[in-house]
Structures are given as C-alpha cells and as structure tokens.
Amino acid sequence: MAIKPKLSRPQLCGPALVGVCHHGVRAAVALLIVALAALAGVEQAPALFGWFRAAPPSSIPVHYTDIAKSAGIAFVQDATTSAEKYYLETMGTGVGWIDYNQDGLMDLYFVQSGATDAYKPLKPLRSALYRNNGDGTFTDVTEKAGVGAEGLYGQGVAVGDFDNDGYPDLYVTGYGRSILYHNNGNGTFTEVTAKAGVADESQWATSAGWFDYDKDGWLDLLVANYIEWSPKNNLWCGEHRPGYRAYCHPDNYKGERIRLYHNNHDGTFTDVSEKSGVGKPEAKGMGVVLADFNNDGWTDIAVANDTWPNFLFLNNHDGTFKDASFTSGVAASEDGKYEAGMGIDAADVDGDGWQDLYVTHLDFELNRLYRNNHDGTFDDATYRSGIGNKAILLSGVAMKFFDYDNDGWTDICQLNGAMLDNIELYHSEVTYKEPLLMFRNLGQGKFQKVSDTLGPDFARPIAGRGLAAADFDNDGDLDLAVNNRGDAPELLRNDGGNANHWLEVFLIGTKSNRDGIGVSLKLVADGFTQVEQAKGGMSYMSAQDPRIFFGLGQRSKISVLEITWPSGMVDKLTDVPINQIIAVKEGAGIVAKKFPRIPSP
C-alpha cells in the first residue's frame, strides 16, 4: 500500500500567555535597576538581572562574500539522487574546521556521500581536506593526508584531540559505520577505527561530539544515531504520478540509539551507552551540543531529535546521566509538539551567564529558542525573543550561535534548505533552495532578522546542509563554511565585523583535556560581562573553530578574563590585549603561539 508522506504539519498557534504576568513585575524592577546603573555609569546590572544588560548600538556594516571558487575549493557534494528516493539521499553532509597541521590557520574538511544500490557514480566519491595556505587560498591535501573516507556514505564530522598529543583528530560519521582518523602530526592521518572500537557498526550516525564527561582529562565521544532505514525497507511515499514520488517521513521508521564511548587513555574506547543512561531511550538523533546547562561545572548533553522528543541529559558526576528531557521543557514545543529537530546549539543569549538552546525545524514549524531558567527548566521563548514565525516557510537544517558583528551579543545564523527536492509540487509557496538567515541579538535575548543586509552571497538560495563558523583569515571576525546538497560549497568571508573590537582564545589543557572542552570563560570589559563555554558538537553534522570568540563592541579595555578549567584550576588574567588571538595554557596563562593573519584582498 502506498504511503503518502507527511510533508508538513499545521502552522502552530500564537504564543501562550501563561507566565507573562509572572514576569511583569520582575521586568519592571529590573528595568529600574538598569536605569539606576546607567546613571551611575555602570553598564552591567546586578547578576540576578544580568539578562538586562545595556542593548548594543546600531550594527556596523557587515557583508559576507563567497570566495570558495577563488580560494581554490573545487569540492562538490554528490546528492546521489535516484529514482528510488532513498531516504539517505536527502540528508546532505557536514563540514568541519580543523587546524590539522597546527600552523595557526584553520583548514577545511568537507564530508562526502557514497555509492548506493540505486546510484553508482562514475568515479569513487571521497571526502576532502583543504589546507589553508595563509594567503586566502586552500589546497586539496586529501590524498596525502589519507582522510578521503572512500567507500563510506559520509554524514558528519567531529574534531577533537582524543590522545592529548596536541594534534586534532577526525571522526567521520556515516551510514552503516563511522571512521576515526588519528592525526600523526606530520600532515598525515591513520585510520584507527577498529583498534579504538568506535565504528558504530550497523548504525546510521549523523552528528557527533567530543567532550570529557567524567573530567578525567581525556576526550570521550558521543554519537547521535538516526533511524532503522535500509534499501530493503525503503517505502514508496508521495503520489503515483511522474515526478511526485517523495522522500518518506521519519515516522515510518523506528529510531536508533545514542552511543557514548568512554576514552580508556590508551587509544581505545569502551561503549558505555547503557551504563551511562544516554543509550536507553529510543532516539532519532540529528544535532548534538555538549555544554554545561546547570552551571555545576560538568558537561551535559542536548540532542535534537527528528519528530521525536529532544533529549537533555544532565551529568550526575559519577559516569551516569539523568534524563531531564521532559522535566526541563526542551523535549517539545511550547504547545507540546515533537518537531523535526535538526540543528542545535547552546549559548548565553540574554547575558545571564546560563546556556540557552536553539533548535531548528522544517517548514510550517517554528525554530525554537529555549531560555534557561536557572533551575533545571527552560521556557520556550520563540515568540518573546522576536523570532516567532519569521521563518515559517523555511526548513531550518543547521544553525550556529556566534557574534557576527562583534558587538558582544550572540547572534543566530541559520542554514536552510527543504528536504524534498520536489517540494514545490506539494507546497507552491515553499522552494527547495532557500536563503541563509541571520537574527541579530538586540540585547537581552531579543532578535531582529537582518539577513537582507548581509549581501547577495549570503541571501542566495541554496540547499544548505552543513554549517561551520571559523575565523579562517585570523582577522577578528567569524566566517562561514557551508556544505550544500548536490552542489558546490560556500566559503563566506565576513567583511566588516572586525570594525568592532574582539578577542579570540585558544585553549591548551594540561591537567584537563588538551582541547579545553568543558572550560568556562568569564570576560569583563568596561563593566560589560560575557560568559562563554568551550563546547562539543554544535550545528548539524559539522565541526566549529575551537577558539573561543568574544566580540567587544567599542570597549577598549579588558579588565579580567577568568578561565575555569574542568580540572578545577582557575586562571585569572588581567591586562589582556584586545584585537588579538591569544593562546592560554592551563596553569601558565598566556603563552606564545603564532596565528598568521591573512592579508585583506
């Protein structure tokens, strides 16, 4: 029997009013405190009302310019499109930033798909590693490095130094298995998947992330798995008319389970999924972010699930996790719906020092912003934030929190692209290729859509899938790498963001894991306080610049940078320079390391 796909869901109702009056008095009192603070020349209100910091000034002019072709990036993602409409085809693949040779320049890794029973490419498909040449161009070094992952139907990538040797390693997720590449420190990698025990055999792995969940100083690995689909159980979905066959809905398939691999400190890992508790519930995992959500100093786990309850696992400090998905309020939307969760990230959007969450969904759903209430619960702040239904006709795939204009407030960049390549046949108001979105943070977690101001390259419709942010030219503003389904990628250079002041911090752990994942950083500049974390995962099947980025606006002096490491050690730095990338070593403070700046064109 033919099964018609669930192509969309009804538009959600307006914002619920419960709790609005509850916040009214608090808001009024907080605004009074801010006013008094302003009269006293203080920019930061007391900690209790930290989310009422002074709003940023008008944004500086920023444009994004796509330089992928001129930079020498020739990679093209193969959509492996077939008449069978294999579910696997629609996913796309991720992209990752990795300074694989530790020369202070971020290099690029594009994940590629692979052959299927219904699609045989003319030549073998492979993923690609591009070395940053330091002059605005990149060179394909895949063959020399040995990271092509040929024969794997790739999905995503996670970057982390799992053996603490100072060189980041690559984990490439895929359908049926995944691959771990160990960085040899000489420009080459060795596949160590079997030895390490992290193949994730017979699973459909999507996103993955490195983090030190037990704080033993070694990175562990979390892998999100999706659904039990195979060519043998591929269904016919859509109408039986030429061109109308469609990719099926995930409700037609049973979910898989999250896997957690514990680092044994000897190049091997142990599967602790069941023991830890994270592998017990059925999942339909897409995006992962690993961050400390309750400010107890231990990294937690958040997973965006597709038409399934989102997960929030809180770290119990004993190798196990508490499933707080439903009690926290992040499992579903404000009106109780399980939506098509894909991209996810965490950041302090309102200046209160606590990590909030954003999850992307498909067209006719809302992209959800969950505000942290400091008590283990979150509020759906999608409408209160000003985001609302501004992207109701777009399919949010990946997203990343970052400060694109360096004003000190975290913005939201969202990558879009419909899942169905023939979506127009079913919904005339929706298109397959869709533009990027940028929501500028106006202060206190209020957002304004500013995509149209960022230039034609930013607004060009694409079938976006992987999204990763990095300062690839080391000029002090964040650029974007985008992997598009069935198309060439984009390298969007940020032009103008560094007109505001900034600081980037490269972490070097000693007692803690080498990457410093799990670190909390508190920066105070001219009375303005920002709190950041070194997180794992983020976005959708992609890997980000590991350096921690602070936009400073026009603030010209950093009073203090306090870094709390997973080991418990605290480095308190004063007289920190601005408009620089600094390396901070646990217990030693700022140390020498070169970060070459690429000259402006």
Side-chain angles (χ1 to χ4, degrees), residues 275-298:
K275 179 181 177 182
S276 66
V278 304
K280 291 181 179 179
E282 181 181 338
K284 294 184 178 180
M286 298 290 261
V288 170
V289 63
L290 307 166
D292 180 6
F293 291 101
N294 53 6
N295 281 358
D296 64 355
W298 294 73

Side-chain angles (χ1 to χ4, degrees), residues 251-410:
D251 282 354
N252 292 309
Y253 301 97
K254 182 178 174 61
E256 294 184 329
R257 305 201 181 250
I258 305 299
R259 280 191 175 171
L260 176 60
Y261 295 98
H262 176 261
N263 192 327
N264 298 326
H265 313 174
D266 60 0
T268 69
F269 293 76
T270 299
D271 187 341
V272 295
S273 310
E274 285 291 320
K275 179 181 177 182
S276 66
V278 304
K280 291 181 179 179
E282 181 181 338
K284 294 184 178 180
M286 298 290 261
V288 170
V289 63
L290 307 166
D292 180 6
F293 291 101
N294 53 6
N295 281 358
D296 64 355
W298 294 73
T299 304
D300 309 304
I301 299 168
V303 178
N305 284 308
D306 191 359
T307 64
W308 200 256
N310 298 319
F311 292 159
L312 178 62
F313 294 107
L314 298 179
N315 198 320
N316 289 327
H317 313 175
D318 61 1
T320 68
F321 290 80
K322 173 187 176 182
D323 188 346
S325 307
F326 288 95
T327 58
S328 66
V330 304
S333 66
E334 189 174 38
D335 51 355
K337 294 183 182 296
Y338 304 142
E339 297 171 307
M342 296 190 70
I344 188 171
D345 198 7
D348 176 14
V349 302
D350 46 16
D352 62 359
W354 294 70
Q355 296 287 298
D356 309 296
L357 269 173
Y358 189 87
V359 182
T360 66
H361 300 107
L362 300 188
D363 48 21
F364 299 100
E365 296 176 338
L366 301 185
N367 303 289
R368 299 288 172 180
L369 176 64
Y370 296 97
R371 182 178 174 274
N372 195 323
N373 293 325
H374 315 174
D375 59 1
T377 69
F378 291 74
D379 284 340
D380 185 339
T382 304
Y383 274 97
R384 293 204 311 271
S385 67
I387 295 171
N389 63 356
K390 289 182 171 61
I392 193 71
L393 296 180
L394 301 178
S395 289
V397 180
M399 63 80 50
K400 185 72 185 74
F401 281 121
F402 68 95
D403 186 0
Y404 82 94
D405 59 355
N406 289 1
D407 65 359
W409 291 90
T410 298

